[in-house]
C-alpha cells in the first residue's frame, strides 16, 4: 500500500487540521503532568518534548505510522549491515565506527569491528607520536600546526566537534581548517604559520574532490624549497580517504594514509579516521569518549521502545510539522557558545540526507520530505531573528539546546544564559494575549486611548512549538550522544517517508557542471550554455581583461 493510503497517514492528516485550532496553553492546562510525562531522561541529557503541538492521539498515530513504515525492520537492517543505501549498493555502517553493532558484520573478508579497531590503533599511534614531538618536518623541527584540507563532511564535523570541546583540548598542537577553494581562506590560514612546522591532513573520501585537491597542491607549493616534492609529501602530508591508492599515487607516505570506507557517508564520517583532527585536539582518549557517547545513543535507539525512544520521537515530531502541519523550517538554537557550529553541522546532516523528491520505488514524492534547517547561538539570535519566531504568522518549530554545567568559571553568566533559554521557549509556547497586554499597560499608567493604539503591536499569539535538550555537561561523551541522536532522527524521517537518506546525487550534479564550466571560463567559449550563463561568462572574461589591461597614460 502507498504511504499516503495508510490508515495512520490519513488519520494524521485529519488530526493536523484539528491541531491547528488548538493552543499549547490549553494542552498544558488540561494535563498538569505534561512536562514530566512528555520528557525522557537519558544518561547524558534530558529531552523535553512537552512544548509540542501534539496530544496523545497524535503521538499514538505517529508511532503507528512508524510501525506501518517498518521502522523497526529498517533499523535492524542498518545495524546488520544490509545494503540499505540501495542507489549506491552500500551498507550504512557509521554505527560500526563506535562499536555499536549487536552482532559481527563481515566486511572485506574480516569482521567490520576488526577493520575499525585496526584503523583506530593506527590513529592512536600517530596522535601519540605527534603529541610527543615525534612527527617532524623536512628540517627536523617538530610539527606545531596541523591544517585539515577537506570540504563538507570531511571538515564540518571535525571542526564542529573541536569547537564544541575547546575546554577539553590537550597538547600544544594547533588545528586549522581550510574547506573553501577560494584561495583567500587558504592564504589567511597559512599566513601566520611556519612552513617547517606545519602538517597538512588531506581529507577526501575519493581523493579526487576538486576543492580539496586544489588546496592540497597549493599547500605543497607554499612549502616551497624545504625539500624535494617527494620529501615534502612524505614529511608534511597525511591523507584520510577511502581511496588509498589515489593517496599513495599523490605521494603521501603509505604509513600516513588513514582509511575509512565507502559504507561510511561523508556527513557521518567524523567517527572514522576523518576524526583525526579531533583526536589530535582532545587526545585519543577524548576521541574514544566521543565514540562511546555515540555508542550509548546507538544502543538506546536500537533497544528502547518506540514510545520511549528519543531519536524516534524527534524524527516523528519533525515529520509531523514538516509533512502534516505544513511548517517547512526548523530552527536549531544552542545556548552554549561552544556549540556555535552545531546548526551548520546539522543543516548539512539533515538537508543533504533528506532533501529528496524521489521515493524508494522511484516515484516522485507527493509530500514534504524534510524541513529547512537553520539557526545560530540562541543569545545572538534573540537580537537577530527571534522577532520573526515570536510574532511572524509563520510557525518555526525549534530545538533549544543547553548545558546544566557551565564550560567556564565566571560567576553569574551561566544562570543568565539558562534563564534566557528557558524564557524563550516559554514565551514561544504561551505568547501574550491582548488582555495581558492591556493589564500590563494599565499598570504603567497609560491612558485608555494609548492602550488601544499600542496593544495590537504587543500581542504574541504563542503556540510556537519547541524541544528542549538539557545536557548534563558538554564533554566528549555527551557530545557524541547528542550528535548520534540527530543522526538517528534523520534516519527515522527518511525511512518513514520512503526515501533514501544516504545518497547525495544533488551534490554530484553541481560538481559535474562546474567541471565543464571551468575551461569555458578560461577560454571564453560559451557554446552550449544558456543565455544567462553565457552572459555571466562573458562578463567575467571582460572584467578580467579590463583588470589586466595597462593603465592609459596622458
Amino acid at each position: 500500500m502507498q504511504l499516503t493510503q495508510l490508515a495512520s497517514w490519513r488519520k494524521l492528516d485529519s488530526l493536523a487540521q484539528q491541531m491547528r485550532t488548538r493552543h499549547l496553553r490549553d494542552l498544558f492546562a488540561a494535563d498538569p503532568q505534561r512536562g514530566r510525562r512528555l520528557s525522557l531522561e537519558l544518561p547524558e541529557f534530558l529531552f523535553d518534548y512537552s512544548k509540542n503541538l501534539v496530544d496523545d492521539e497524535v503521538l499514538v498515530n505517529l508511532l503507528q505510522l512508524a510501525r506501518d513504515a517498518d521502522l523497526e525492520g529498517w533499523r535492524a537492517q542498518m545495524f546488520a549491515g544490509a545494503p540499505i543505501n540501495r542507489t549506491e549498493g552500500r551498507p550504512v555502517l557509521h554505527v560500526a565506527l563506535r562499536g555499536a553493532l549487536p552482532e559481527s558484520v563481515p566486511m572485506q573478508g574480516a569482521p567490520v569491528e576488526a577493520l575499525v579497531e585496526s584503523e583506530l590503533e593506527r590513529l592512536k599511534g600517530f596522535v601519540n607520536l605527534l603529541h610527543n614531538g615525534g612527527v617532524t618536518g623536512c628540517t627536523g623541527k617538530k610539527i606545531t600546526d596541523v591544517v585539515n584540507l577537506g570540504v563538507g563532511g570531511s571538515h564540518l564535523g571535525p571542526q564542529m566537534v573541536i569547537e564544541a570541546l575547546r575546554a577539553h583540548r590537550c597538547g600544544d598542537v594547533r588545528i586549522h581548517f581550510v574547506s573553501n577553494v577560494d584561495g583567500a581562506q587558504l592564504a589567511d590560514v597559512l599566513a601566520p604559520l611556519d612552513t617547517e612546522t606545519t602538517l597538512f591532513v588531506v581529507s577526501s573520501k575519493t581523493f579526487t574532490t576538486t576543492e580539496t585537491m586544489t588546496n592540497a597542491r597549493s599547500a605543497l607549493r607554499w612549502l616551497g624549497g624545504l625539500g624535494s616534492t617527494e620529501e615534502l609529501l612524505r614529511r608534511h602530508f597525511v591523507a584520510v580517504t577511502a581511496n588509498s591508492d589515489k593517496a599513495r599515487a599523490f605521494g603521501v607516505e603509505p604509513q600516513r594514509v588513514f582509511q575509512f570506507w565507502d559504507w561510511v557517508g561523508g556527513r557521518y564520517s567524523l567517527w572514522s579516521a576523518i576524526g583525526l583532527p579531533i583526536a589530535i585536539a582532545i587526545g585519543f582518549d577524548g576521541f574514544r569518549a566521543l565514540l562511546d557517547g555515540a555508542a550509548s545513543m546507538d544502543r538506546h535507539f536500537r533497544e528502547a521502545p518506540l514510545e520511549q525512544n528519543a531519536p524516534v520521537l524527534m524524527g516523528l515530531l519533525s515529520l509531523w510539522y514538516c509533512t502534516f502541519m505544513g511548517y517547512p523550517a526548523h530552527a536549531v538554537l544552542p545556548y552554549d557558545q561552544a556549540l556555535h557550529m552545531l546548526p551548520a553541522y546539522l543543516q548539512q546532516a539533515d538537508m543533504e540526507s533528506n532533501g529528496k523528491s524521489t521515493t524508494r520505488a522511484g516515484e516522485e514524492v507527493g509530500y514534504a520530505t524534510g524541513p529547512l534547517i537553520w539557526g545560530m547561538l540562541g543569545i545572538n539570535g534573540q537580537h537577530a531573528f527571534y522577532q520573526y519566531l515570536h510574532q511572524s504568522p509563520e510557525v518555526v518549530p525549534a530545538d533549544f539546546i543547553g548545558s546544566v554545567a557551565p564550560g567556564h568559571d565566571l560567576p553569574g553568566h551561566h544562570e543568565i544564559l539558562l534563564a534566557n533559554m528557558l524564557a524563550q521557549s516559554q514565551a514561544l509556547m504561551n505568547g501574550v494575549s491582548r488582555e495581558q497586554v492591556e493589564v500590563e499597560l494599565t499598570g504603567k499608567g497609560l491612558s485608555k486611548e494609548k492602550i488601544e493604539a499600542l496593544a495590537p503591536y504587543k500581542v504574541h499569539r504563542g503556540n510556537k512549538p519547541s524541544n528542549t535538550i538539557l545536557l548534563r555537561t558538554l564533554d566528549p561523551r555527551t557530545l557524541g550522544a547528542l550528535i548520534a541522536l540527530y543522526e538517528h532522527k534523520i534516519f527515522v524521517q527518511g525511512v518513514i517517508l520512503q526515501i533514501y537518506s544516504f545518497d547525495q546525487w544533488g551534490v554530484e550534479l553541481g560538481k559535474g557542471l562546474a567541471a565543464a564550466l571551468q575551461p569555458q571560463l578560461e577560454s571564453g567559449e560559451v557554446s552550449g550554455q544558456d543565455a544567462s550563463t553565457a552572459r555571466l561568462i562573458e562578463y567575467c572574461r571582460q572584467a578580467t581583461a579590463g583588470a589586466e589591461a595597462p593603465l592609459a597614460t596622458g
Side-chain angles (χ1 to χ4, degrees):
M1 183 180 290
Q2 286 191 345
L3 181 65
T4 55
Q5 298 306 309
L6 292 170
S8 52
W9 181 284
R10 295 200 304 271
K11 181 63 175 177
L12 287 165
D13 228 0
S14 172
L15 290 171
Q17 302 298 325
Q18 300 173 29
M19 193 54 66
R20 291 189 188 95
T21 67
R22 302 183 68 181
H23 202 289
L24 280 164
R25 287 193 303 263
D26 301 327
L27 294 175
F28 273 86
D31 180 7
Q33 295 301 311
R34 183 178 173 91
R36 287 189 176 276
R37 200 166 57 81
L38 300 187
S39 64
L40 291 175
E41 188 169 348
L42 280 68
E44 294 83 13
F45 55 78
L46 175 73
F47 170 53
D48 175 6
Y49 61 101
S50 61
K51 295 189 185 77
N52 279 286
L53 273 167
V54 293
D55 58 15
D56 288 348
E57 189 176 14
V58 170
L59 288 171
V60 164
N61 281 278
L62 284 170
L63 290 163
Q64 185 58 50
L65 178 63
R67 294 186 175 98
D68 291 343
D70 193 25
L71 173 61
E72 290 155 308
W74 280 88
R75 179 182 62 186
Q77 287 188 67
M78 178 176 73
F79 280 95
I84 61 171
N85 178 6
R86 291 177 184 167
T87 59
E88 296 178 313
R90 296 170 181 169
V92 176
L93 274 175
H94 51 277
V95 291
L97 299 171
R98 48 247 197 173
L101 299 183
E103 296 179 4
S104 181
V105 174
M107 196 67 65
Q108 299 174 352
V112 69
E113 57 266 35
L115 296 176
V116 170
E117 281 302 318
S118 174
E119 209 60 25
L120 284 174
E121 282 301 311
R122 293 186 64 228
L123 214 66
K124 178 181 179 180
F126 182 79
V127 169
N128 289 341
L129 190 66
L130 182 64
H131 280 176
N132 293 330
V135 179
T136 59
C138 287
T139 62
K141 291 184 178 180
K142 72 174 186 177
I143 296 298
T144 60
D145 292 271
V146 172
V147 181
N148 189 82
L149 306 176
V151 69
S154 297
H155 103 279
L156 192 52
Q159 187 173 11
M160 180 274 292
V161 170
I162 289 173
E163 290 291 326
L165 298 177
R166 186 169 292 276
H168 297 266
R169 294 288 298 272
C170 68
D172 56 1
V173 178
R174 295 176 291 270
I175 311 292
H176 314 271
F177 288 88
V178 174
S179 60
N180 200 336
V181 75
D182 185 340
Q185 187 187 28
L186 182 64
D188 286 347
V189 168
L190 296 182
L193 303 186
D194 184 341
T195 54
E196 295 182 80
T197 60
T198 298
L199 178 77
F200 293 95
V201 178
V202 185
S203 295
S204 171
K205 188 171 184 176
T206 62
F207 225 74
T208 60
T209 308
T210 300
E211 301 92 331
T212 301
M213 301 316 298
T214 299
N215 283 329
R217 287 188 285 270
S218 293
L220 183 60
R221 286 193 295 272
W222 175 76
L223 290 170
L226 288 180
S228 66
T229 298
E230 292 76 13
E231 189 177 14
L232 291 174
L233 286 164
R234 188 167 56 86
R235 301 291 292 274
H236 289 267
F237 280 82
V238 169
V240 182
T241 182
N243 193 343
S244 300
D245 290 344
K246 281 277 187 184
R248 288 191 290 267
F250 185 75
V252 180
E253 185 80 4
Q255 291 87 343
R256 292 191 176 182
V257 177
F258 296 97
Q259 186 178 14
F260 69 113
W261 302 271
D262 64 5
W263 38 263
V264 178
R267 56 195 175 278
Y268 300 92
S269 65
L270 68 87
W271 321 101
S272 70
I274 287 291
L276 173 60
I278 302 172
I280 294 170
I282 65 173
F284 191 80
D285 288 345
F287 187 60
R288 275 284 191 189
L290 183 80
L291 299 182
D292 290 344
S296 173
M297 181 55 62
D298 293 339
R299 288 188 292 273
H300 168 77
F301 176 54
R302 195 177 69 242
E303 298 169 1
L306 297 189
E307 59 271 14
Q308 297 171 23
N309 194 306
V312 170
L313 291 168
M314 282 189 75
L316 289 172
L317 288 167
S318 182
L319 186 150
W320 168 244
Y321 291 128
C322 183
T323 308
F324 290 98
M325 296 287 282
Y327 304 154
H330 188 99
V332 178
L333 308 171
Y335 278 73
D336 192 315
Q337 178 65 34
L339 293 174
H340 71 100
M341 286 192 66
L342 184 64
Y345 173 78
L346 294 178
Q347 186 176 68
Q348 183 205 22
D350 199 311
M351 296 173 71
E352 196 167 271
S353 296
N354 290 340
K356 307 289 169 62
S357 58
T358 305
T359 69
R360 295 194 298 262
E363 300 170 351
E364 187 170 346
V365 300
Y367 41 78
T369 58
L372 182 155
I373 304 293
W374 62 288
M376 67 185 299
L377 286 172
I379 287 292
N380 293 347
Q382 288 178 200
H383 297 271
F385 56 78
Y386 275 40
Q387 169 63 43
Y388 179 93
L389 296 183
H390 282 292
Q391 287 192 305
S392 164
E394 302 300 324
V395 176
V396 181
D399 290 347
F400 289 89
I401 306 168
S403 305
V404 175
H408 56 81
D409 57 4
L410 296 173
H413 287 251
H414 200 62
E415 293 76 10
I416 295 172
L417 184 70
L418 282 180
N420 272 273
M421 184 182 78
L422 300 181
Q424 290 296 331
S425 67
Q426 187 180 56
L428 286 169
M429 174 182 71
N430 288 328
V432 182
S433 68
R434 174 70 180 247
E435 292 74 20
Q436 289 172 307
V437 170
E438 289 178 351
V439 169
E440 175 202 348
L441 296 179
T442 300
K444 292 181 177 180
L446 271 68
S447 68
K448 185 176 179 180
E449 291 76 15
K450 287 186 177 180
I451 291 173
E452 280 290 321
L454 185 57
Y457 303 100
K458 293 176 70 69
V459 170
H460 297 61
R461 66 188 181 100
N463 216 30
K464 307 293 181 79
S466 66
N467 298 309
T468 301
I469 300 172
L470 267 176
L471 312 177
R472 291 183 181 276
T473 185
L474 184 55
D475 60 15
R477 182 181 177 89
T478 300
L479 182 63
L482 179 68
I483 297 169
L485 168 74
Y486 277 96
E487 287 182 346
H488 294 316
K489 169 204 169 186
I490 292 163
F491 172 83
V492 168
Q493 292 170 266
V495 166
I496 296 173
L497 293 170
Q498 299 184 349
I499 57 176
Y500 288 120
S501 298
F502 299 98
D503 59 23
Q504 52 183 54
W505 301 111
V507 177
E508 301 304 319
L509 170 63
K511 288 181 181 179
L513 292 173
L517 277 167
Q518 183 180 338
Q520 290 188 304
L521 276 166
E522 294 169 354
S523 68
E525 170 59 49
V526 297
S527 60
Q529 292 297 344
D530 60 86
S532 172
T533 305
R535 173 63 181 128
L536 293 170
I537 292 173
E538 179 186 74
Y539 181 82
C540 289
R541 295 283 299 172
Q542 290 174 345
T544 301
E548 293 174 350
L551 293 174
T553 56

